[in-house]
Amino acid sequence: MRLTQRLLLGSLLIIGVLVAFVVVIVDGQLKRRLVDEALIEAGRQARLVGAQWTPMTNADSLARSAGRSLEHRVTLIDSTGLVVGDSEFGTGAVDRLENHANRPEVRDALASGSGTARRRSASSGLDELYAATRTDQGVARVSIDTRALEVTFARARRDVLGAGALSLLLAVVLVTIFSRSVARPVIALRDVARDLAGGDLSRRPPLSAPGEVGELASAIHRLAEQLSARLAALDAEEGLMNNLAESLNEGVLAIDARQQVVRTNQRAQRLLGVGDAPFPLVNLPRDRVLREAVTAALSGTTSESLKTEVNGRELAVTARPLPDGGAVLALFDLTPMRRLETVRRDFVANVSHELRTPLTVIGGFAETLADDDIAADERRRFARMILTNTRRLQRMVDDLLDLSRIESGGWRPNPQETTLATVVDEVLAEERAAVAARPVALTRRIADDATTVWVDPFALRQVLANLVENAVRHTGSGEVEVFSRRTDDGVAVGVRDTGTGIAPDHLERIFERFYRADAGRSREQGGTGLGLAIVRHLVETHRGTVRAESTPGQGTTITTTFPDRPAGEGTAEEHQPS
């Protein structure tokens, strides 16, 4: 039996090594040869196109006709790197292509007469080969899609693997025929034992084998019967207990009489910060209420709904004794309920406080307007005050609805490549009327490497509108600037002002709902206290970050950072040339 095993495994190993060696050769040599020949052919085509490029030839027409004939992309580039013709872009699109002087193949062609490169194209997202040659008019470049090469290579690899698989199959057949008469009974017992060990308790060995092999088969048969019956009972009980424990919202621990925690569910592990059972009782957190409840339960006394705090969470603890001297402990997490109660209480208090002032003003002036003896000028002034506070209430309600929609997940961003200057100009144009009579300059400074941002245009407009409006509100005179810059995390877009600034003890809380560093001034100028909270939520829905910096008396800078577009995302109309 050992000899047949070595023969089978040795044959398979040798053929497998040979197949692997051939595959490695194909992967290396054939792929390299295909790429080299493709680059040589592309170089010939580039020289052919370059020979037809004369001062009297229309470069764009030549590129398109050559591209159709060669069935490859053809690009004509002047000596400064400017694209003057491309077979894949129309006349209008060619004018918008970026300068190609820094492309490796173009740079080499200008320096030495020819150049090649291989890289992933930004426009198609595919791996392409580039060959460029210098001409009197500039550089002629031909691009070849590597998909055809990959298909050829894949076919060759498939043929080799098929031959190897056939060889392996033939070897298996020959060696199996040779060793079947010797190895069949032992192989059958081995398979049965392996299946039993893997959990398939329905397998039974054949009992017709002669001699010691037959006796071994009988023993394995009896073992399988007993093991199947015992494991079935244990699995049923274990499954019932696990499903019952994990379906509970409470954390559950079972403790035996030896003061060992023998069972826990995942909820209890998270609440107490412990690992899987079993483990000693002393590994539980050293909380007095928890320890007293466990001790009482082990002594036969039930403890009901005791309150304690463990790992920063408020828990309700119930401990009951077990008949065998152990105990079971149930833990209910009260923290979310308490947090919701606090949020609800704070929200109601803040909304009530914010609504009281405009409602009081509206009610007071409306009551005064009911008097017929009020002069017309006073009546108009009172009406304007009512209108102003009504609009303030409307803005507050709109902001609350927007914030609720964002926080509840009712709004999802639809990010796309957005031109930053367009959105900034729209926001600044809307705000200029508010600063027409004030010495406040509204400017923008867009970095050359941060002119676009991957963001939902609606969200970006609302973020900048809130930030600019907030900056203008706290800047009596000076400058409010919208800026952008490239960072390691993406594109940073922010608003900088030279206003009153924010004290350090207020800076960390300005993104909370209804929080105001200068409550009186903000309410007087119409702020709702929700703008920066909306900004934070909008930025975070894009997986971005927002940060505030301020110096009292010198101004405030609030910077939002939006990550770049993830690989593979984008719209069909957003292709960039390679």
Side-chain angles (χ1 to χ4, degrees):
M1 181 60 188
R2 293 178 181 175
L3 178 60
T4 56
Q5 283 183 338
R6 287 198 300 271
L7 179 61
L8 177 60
L9 294 177
S11 301
L12 296 179
L13 179 61
I14 292 173
I15 297 176
V17 170
L18 290 176
V19 171
F21 182 73
V22 173
V23 170
V24 170
I25 293 177
V26 171
D27 279 345
Q29 298 296 328
L30 181 58
K31 180 181 285 188
R32 189 179 304 111
R33 180 66 60 84
L34 289 174
V35 170
D36 290 342
E37 290 180 358
L39 285 174
I40 293 173
E41 179 63 22
R44 295 193 190 101
Q45 295 174 355
R47 289 192 296 272
L48 177 62
V49 174
Q52 300 176 17
W53 190 11
T54 65
M56 303 301 295
T57 304
N58 185 288
D60 192 52
S61 299
L62 175 61
R64 287 198 297 270
S65 62
R68 288 192 300 268
S69 300
L70 298 176
E71 296 184 353
H72 298 308
R73 179 184 173 184
V74 176
T75 306
L76 299 179
I77 306 160
D78 66 18
S79 58
T80 65
L82 183 66
V83 177
V84 295
D86 195 295
S87 61
E88 290 188 3
F89 294 87
T91 305
V94 168
D95 296 335
R96 294 192 297 271
L97 293 177
E98 63 185 36
N99 192 285
H100 280 44
N102 290 327
R103 297 293 194 273
E105 68 279 3
V106 176
R107 187 171 57 246
D108 292 342
L110 291 173
S112 61
S114 63
T116 59
R118 178 177 181 174
R119 65 175 180 275
R120 186 172 296 278
S121 172
S123 60
S124 65
L126 301 173
D127 196 17
E128 294 191 1
L129 303 177
Y130 296 92
T133 184
R134 186 178 59 201
T135 69
D136 294 337
Q137 311 305 317
V139 173
R141 187 186 72 175
V142 174
S143 308
I144 297 180
D145 187 352
T146 61
R147 286 179 296 183
L149 300 179
E150 293 295 338
V151 170
T152 302
F153 174 73
R155 290 175 179 171
R157 175 188 287 175
R158 186 164 57 249
D159 293 341
V160 173
L161 291 176
L166 184 60
S167 300
L168 286 173
L169 180 61
L170 182 60
V172 170
V173 171
L174 293 177
V175 177
T176 302
I177 293 174
F178 173 77
S179 61
R180 177 176 297 175
S181 60
V182 178
R184 181 184 297 170
V186 178
I187 291 176
L189 291 177
R190 180 204 63 189
D191 292 340
V192 171
R194 181 180 298 167
D195 291 338
L196 290 174
D200 184 4
L201 302 182
S202 63
R203 290 295 304 275
R204 297 293 183 271
L207 302 178
S208 59
E212 291 81 359
V213 176
E215 294 176 0
L216 177 60
S218 179
I220 292 178
H221 190 281
R222 292 193 301 271
L223 176 63
E225 293 288 347
Q226 296 177 8
L227 186 61
S228 178
R230 294 181 182 180
L231 288 182
L234 290 176
D235 286 344
E237 182 179 356
E238 183 74 14
L240 177 62
M241 293 298 296
N242 285 337
N243 291 332
L244 180 62
E246 296 300 339
S247 64
L248 299 174
N249 289 328
E250 294 85 357
V252 178
L253 298 91
I255 305 167
D256 63 13
R258 297 174 300 169
Q259 297 192 357
Q260 292 281 321
V261 178
V262 295
R263 184 181 293 275
T264 64
N265 63 357
Q266 293 184 3
R267 183 67 170 167
Q269 294 172 17
R270 290 194 297 267
L271 292 177
L272 299 180
V274 297
D276 293 332
F279 56 83
L281 185 61
V282 295
N283 288 0
L284 292 178
R286 297 185 178 277
D287 178 76
R288 181 182 60 82
V289 175
L290 186 64
R291 293 301 178 101
E292 290 178 355
V294 172
T295 302
L298 292 174
S299 301
T301 304
T302 299
S303 301
E304 295 281 355
S305 298
L306 302 176
K307 303 294 191 300
T308 187
E309 185 174 333
V310 178
N311 297 330
R313 307 189 73 85
E314 185 176 354
L315 305 178
V317 181
T318 299
R320 296 181 182 276
L322 294 175
D324 61 357
V328 63
L329 194 67
L331 309 169
F332 185 74
D333 188 7
L334 301 174
T335 306
M337 186 182 303
R338 298 289 185 264
R339 185 181 297 117
L340 288 175
E341 291 175 355
T342 301
V343 170
R344 179 186 58 80
R345 185 171 55 251
D346 292 345
F347 180 76
V348 171
N350 286 331
V351 170
S352 300
H353 181 73
E354 294 295 333
L355 293 177
R356 182 182 297 117
T357 299
L359 287 175
T360 300
V361 172
I362 292 172
F365 282 112
E367 183 178 353
T368 305
L369 286 174
D371 190 349
D372 296 335
D373 296 334
I374 300 177
D377 292 344
E378 288 295 310
R379 189 179 296 275
R380 283 192 295 271
R381 186 171 66 87
F382 292 166
R384 283 195 297 271
M385 293 296 294
I386 292 175
L387 180 60
T388 298
N389 283 272
T390 302
R391 288 175 175 170
R392 178 182 171 189
L393 282 176
Q394 182 63 49
R395 286 190 58 194
M396 190 179 303
V397 172
D398 291 342
D399 285 351
L400 283 171
L401 290 175
D402 288 344
L403 194 59
S404 174
R405 214 157 39 93
I406 297 170
E407 289 181 337
S408 65
W411 178 85
R412 287 287 184 270
N414 181 26
Q416 54 188 272
E417 286 292 346
T418 303
T419 302
L420 191 56
T422 302
V423 178
V424 172
D425 289 343
E426 291 177 1
V427 171
L428 294 181
E430 294 175 358
E431 196 63 31
R432 292 191 193 282
V435 299
R438 294 165 53 190
V440 177
L442 300 180
T443 62
R444 66 175 173 89
R445 182 166 58 85
I446 308 299
D448 293 338
D449 58 350
T451 58
T452 61
V453 59
W454 182 247
V455 68
D456 187 303
F458 166 80
L460 179 61
R461 187 176 293 104
Q462 191 167 5
V463 166
L464 290 179
N466 281 331
L467 292 180
V468 171
E469 181 181 352
N470 198 62
V472 169
R473 185 181 300 119
H474 293 87
T475 303
S477 63
E479 181 184 13
V480 174
E481 179 187 69
V482 181
F483 64 89
S484 73
R485 65 173 179 269
R486 166 67 56 179
T487 69
D488 294 338
D489 299 322
V491 176
V493 182
V495 175
R496 182 184 299 111
D497 65 62
T498 58
T500 57
I502 304 172
D505 53 339
H506 294 292
L507 200 58
E508 294 297 326
R509 301 189 59 191
I510 62 173
F511 295 103
E512 298 178 11
R513 289 178 295 185
F514 295 115
Y515 187 84
R516 294 184 174 93
D518 186 355
R521 177 184 177 90
S522 180
R523 289 194 186 93
E524 178 183 348
Q525 297 184 357
T528 65
L530 297 171
L532 292 182
I534 293 175
V535 168
R536 176 171 64 88
H537 283 289
L538 287 174
V539 174
E540 289 178 351
T541 57
H542 290 78
R543 297 186 178 89
T545 59
V546 58
R547 181 170 53 92
E549 301 172 290
S550 184
T551 302
Q554 298 183 19
T556 302
T557 300
I558 298 181
T559 305
T560 64
T561 302
F562 296 95
D564 291 326
R565 174 175 56 187
E569 290 191 17
T571 57
E573 67 271 18
E574 290 184 271
H575 297 309
Q576 295 293 329
S578 62

